[in-house]
Amino acid sequence: MKIALLGYGKMGKVIEKIALSRGHEIVLRKSSSDSFDGIENADVIIEFSAPNAAVTNITAALNAGIPVVSGTTGWLDDYHKMADLCQQKNTAFIYGSNFSLGVNIFFELNNYLSKLMSKFNQYTVKMQEIHHTQKLDAPSGTAISLANSIISNSQYNSWTLDENNESNQIFIDAQRTENVPGTHTIFYDSMVDTIAIQHIAHNREGFAIGAVIAAEWILNKKGVYTMKDVLDLNDIV
């Protein structure tokens, strides 16, 4: 499989390493200042760039009719435009706030736990996410996905970065620390105890492996998908 990497920072380089180890070829490595020359040679595009570059990158890929796997966060106000463009161009698109197998299992645990806890109003929920200092968006896309899942199953109607928040908002404590790939913790607190679930990433390879697996899966498909489709998790919870 021939892969174009749109975004060739730390994450792009780890994806390249994983892709090559699985027998794939990299036909384009695009950093922010590079052109899209050669994109037409790709079978699949993996896009891990920056929030202000994602829409331009995804648009170029979809306009070329090439399936796209995007893991860039912080641009989702334009998600529906990209999904519509995918359908117009009759190609395929996967966006994931996190491609790690472990995180996608964590998403399912979070969804199940939030349904269970919705019956117990004595508990309040809050979240903490910790990432490396180079991460440009806060909270993380993963944290937002976790929060939105809780919101869909509870009396909460939004999330906030303000610790002095309203009772119907989920507080997300977004911290940035050197050399932390990503840690996400969800707390349910009451006067007598705390229930918590947590995912800790040890390195970037988990994200990269998931992105390459998604690229392998989406090849020759049409439509808009998620990692639940890739990992066959739709009927688990």
Side-chain angles (χ1 to χ4, degrees):
M1 185 171 69
K2 297 180 179 179
I3 299 172
L5 297 176
L6 303 187
Y8 195 56
K10 291 180 179 178
M11 191 63 202
K13 291 179 174 66
V14 179
I15 291 171
E16 177 183 40
K17 174 186 171 185
I18 297 298
L20 293 174
S21 73
R22 294 171 73 91
H24 303 306
E25 178 184 354
I26 308 301
V27 296
L28 174 63
R29 301 166 179 84
K30 183 187 182 302
S31 298
S32 57
S33 59
D34 299 328
S35 74
F36 291 99
D37 290 347
I39 195 173
E40 68 279 0
N41 298 319
D43 298 316
V44 177
I45 285 161
I46 301 180
E47 196 275 336
F48 275 74
S49 59
N52 61 358
V55 172
T56 298
N57 287 339
I58 296 166
T59 299
L62 295 176
N63 278 333
I66 303 170
V68 182
V69 172
S70 174
T72 305
T73 57
W75 62 274
L76 287 190
D77 287 347
D78 292 308
Y79 173 80
H80 292 294
K81 293 179 183 177
M82 297 299 98
D84 289 345
L85 182 61
C86 169
Q87 301 287 10
Q88 292 168 22
K89 298 299 179 179
N90 194 32
T91 185
F93 178 49
I94 293 176
Y95 163 75
S97 60
N98 197 308
F99 282 89
S100 160
L101 171 61
V103 164
N104 281 277
I105 294 170
F106 190 64
F107 284 154
E108 299 305 305
L109 289 173
N110 172 65
N111 185 50
Y112 180 79
L113 181 60
S114 64
K115 290 177 181 177
L116 182 66
M117 297 303 294
S118 66
K119 301 177 182 179
F120 302 98
N121 293 330
Q122 64 267 45
Y123 288 90
T124 58
V125 63
K126 65 181 180 181
M127 298 172 55
Q128 182 188 72
E129 61 102 342
I130 309 172
H131 278 87
H132 51 85
T133 53
Q134 290 77 38
K135 186 165 181 59
L136 299 178
D137 56 321
S140 67
T142 301
I144 292 172
S145 294
L146 291 164
N148 285 339
S149 181
I150 296 169
I151 289 165
S152 70
N153 295 321
S154 69
Q155 79 280 9
Y156 293 97
N157 59 26
S158 62
W159 55 265
T160 179
L161 293 172
D162 181 4
E163 189 169 8
N164 300 312
N165 57 304
E166 300 176 9
S167 60
N168 59 356
Q169 293 180 305
I170 299 171
F171 170 56
I172 302 177
D173 178 18
Q175 300 184 16
R176 296 294 174 262
T177 303
E178 287 287 345
N179 301 318
V180 177
T183 299
H184 295 84
T185 312
I186 301 163
F187 302 92
Y188 286 88
D189 287 321
S190 77
M191 294 292 293
V192 297
D193 59 9
T194 297
I195 300 169
I197 58 173
Q198 183 180 68
H199 179 271
I200 302 171
H202 299 309
N203 52 56
R204 290 184 171 88
E205 289 202 2
F207 312 130
I209 292 168
V212 175
I213 288 172
E216 294 168 347
W217 182 89
I218 203 174
L219 187 67
N220 298 322
K221 288 185 171 64
K222 309 291 183 184
V224 179
Y225 302 97
T226 70
M227 280 298 284
K228 286 173 73 76
D229 299 302
V230 176
L231 300 176
D232 196 21
L233 296 174
N234 284 300
D235 298 323
I236 299 299
V237 178

